[in-house]
Amino acid sequence: FDLILMLDVLEHVPSPYTLLYQLYSIGAITPETTVVIATPNAGSAEAQRDPAAWNYRHPPSHLVYYTADALTYLLRRLHFKEIEVRG
């Protein structure tokens, strides 16, 4: 694929590393593929100020919460080369 959109997906997946690795292993993600990921930012000021009242805290449907650093770490472990985090 040229483009894969994962908009509000990763926080619902029990093992995001496994999901992304499997997509790579079947050829859905290649070095030329752009992967766009949108997920709530657990490092945001709102989330840090009051984690229990954070709008995106939805257990059990949200299984994993990411900060920008945590998402970057995950993608680097999977050997993504160009990583840009916004928001």
Side-chain angles (χ1 to χ4, degrees):
F1 294 98
D2 294 326
L3 174 65
I4 293 178
L5 298 175
M6 301 183 92
L7 308 177
D8 296 310
V9 172
L10 282 190
E11 66 271 18
H12 298 277
V13 178
S15 180
Y17 182 94
T18 301
L19 170 66
L20 291 165
Y21 184 82
Q22 287 174 339
L23 289 171
Y24 175 79
S25 69
I26 64 170
I29 296 176
T30 70
E32 292 78 35
T33 305
T34 298
V35 180
V36 177
I37 298 170
T39 188
N41 181 2
S44 69
E46 179 186 356
Q48 296 296 308
R49 186 172 39 257
D50 188 359
W54 184 40
N55 287 337
Y56 297 101
R57 185 180 163 116
H58 296 204
S61 67
H62 285 184
L63 305 174
V64 181
Y65 298 97
Y66 292 95
T67 63
D69 289 342
L71 185 56
T72 299
Y73 177 80
L74 170 69
L75 296 174
R76 287 201 195 289
R77 282 193 59 211
L78 289 161
H79 302 286
F80 279 78
K81 300 292 184 222
E82 296 180 36
I83 299 169
E84 181 180 332
V85 177
R86 296 184 201 175

